[in-house]
Amino acid sequence: NAGVMQNPRHLVRRRGQEARLRCSPMKGHSHVYWYRQLPEEGLKFMVYLQKENIIDESGMPKERFSAEFPKEGPSILRIQQVVRGDSAAYFCASSRGTGSPLHFGNGTRLTVT
Amino acid sequence: DQQVKQNSPSLSVQEGRISILNCDYTNSMFDYFLWYKKYPAEGPTFLISISSIKDKNEDGRFTVFLNKSAKHLSLHIVPSQPGDSAVYFCAARMYSGGGADGLTFGKGTHLIIQP
């Protein structure tokens, strides 16, 4: 009974490189959410996707960040030209649908050097 | 602008006693509230939720109370156990009808259960 799977668990990138974070939702879940947690902060909503569709990206920075959830395969959060301020824990969550609780993965900790 | 506030960064409670974690919100459009528990280096784990049409929901040792007029909710854990030591996040959702908004989280309260 696999939960939400995120990889890698830790990712180190130099400034200017690209970061790709992957998330496989729980079996039977078609809704995926990405959150970011900065040190000493709560989780901040970034984007909500269903298969092949971005439903709500109101929390995504306008530049350098993108997300997708293709028909086949995991959801990807992509950060281009990373900067030190992108260092954070990125959590993915999935649910069966609106009104259902979100189940979170263990996160990817991105460090930009 | 913090729409969900957890004003106590930490709380220390003796084992066996009641733990009460508080949460305030400002957006009256929130219609669903959840509590998550988080251990270090792990993702948040769903604990308990409450719809805005209710004022209380109970699940074992955990009870959530909602006071809509005060825009306040609380999580009661009784009796508190050592394994309850974790960071607890309050979260709220506003169902917009079209797309669904993600959850808005508070900053968390670190609960420490002392033996």
Side-chain angles (χ1 to χ4, degrees), chain B residues 10 19 21 31 39 53 73 78 83 89 92 97 99 101-102 104 107 109 115:
Chain B
S10 66
S19 295
L21 295 96
D31 65 351
Y39 293 118
I53 62 174
L73 64 155
V78 56
F89 289 99
D101 292 333
T104 301
K107 290 189 178 183
T109 296

Side-chain angles (χ1 to χ4, degrees), chain B:
Chain B
D1 179 29
Q2 194 86 26
Q3 295 190 67
V4 177
K5 299 177 185 178
Q6 293 177 257
N7 291 321
S8 298
S10 66
L11 175 68
S12 185
V13 175
Q14 204 165 10
E15 183 179 356
R17 300 285 186 116
I18 183 171
S19 295
I20 300 176
L21 295 96
N22 293 303
C23 178
D24 298 291
Y25 61 96
T26 57
N27 192 335
S28 56
M29 298 297 290
F30 287 138
D31 65 351
Y32 193 62
F33 303 89
L34 307 90
W35 285 93
Y36 282 82
K37 175 180 177 180
K38 186 181 182 301
Y39 293 118
E42 293 185 10
T45 303
F46 169 71
L47 203 55
I48 193 168
S49 63
I50 188 167
S51 164
S52 60
I53 62 174
K54 294 187 175 181
D55 55 19
K56 178 183 175 181
N57 188 26
E58 193 172 350
D59 184 2
R61 296 186 298 115
F62 303 92
T63 303
V64 56
F65 295 93
L66 175 63
N67 182 336
K68 282 183 65 178
S69 60
K71 294 192 179 68
H72 176 84
L73 64 155
S74 61
L75 174 67
H76 293 211
I77 307 172
V78 56
S80 300
Q81 298 174 354
D84 296 332
S85 295
V87 177
Y88 288 78
F89 289 99
C90 172
R93 192 202 71 192
M94 177 172 56
Y95 181 57
S96 60
D101 292 333
L103 296 176
T104 301
F105 282 84
K107 290 189 178 183
T109 296
H110 186 192
L111 176 64
I112 302 160
I113 305 301
Q114 294 181 331

Side-chain angles (χ1 to χ4, degrees), chain A residues 19-49:
Chain A
R20 278 182 181 244
L21 289 65
R22 294 174 191 78
C23 169
S24 296
M26 280 181 71
K27 189 176 180 181
H29 287 192
S30 58
H31 296 231
V32 166
Y33 303 76
W34 285 94
Y35 287 80
R36 175 166 66 175
Q37 184 181 24
L38 296 168
E40 309 300 326
E41 296 285 325
L43 284 78
K44 301 284 189 197
F45 167 75
M46 298 181 76
V47 62
Y48 159 46
L49 311 102

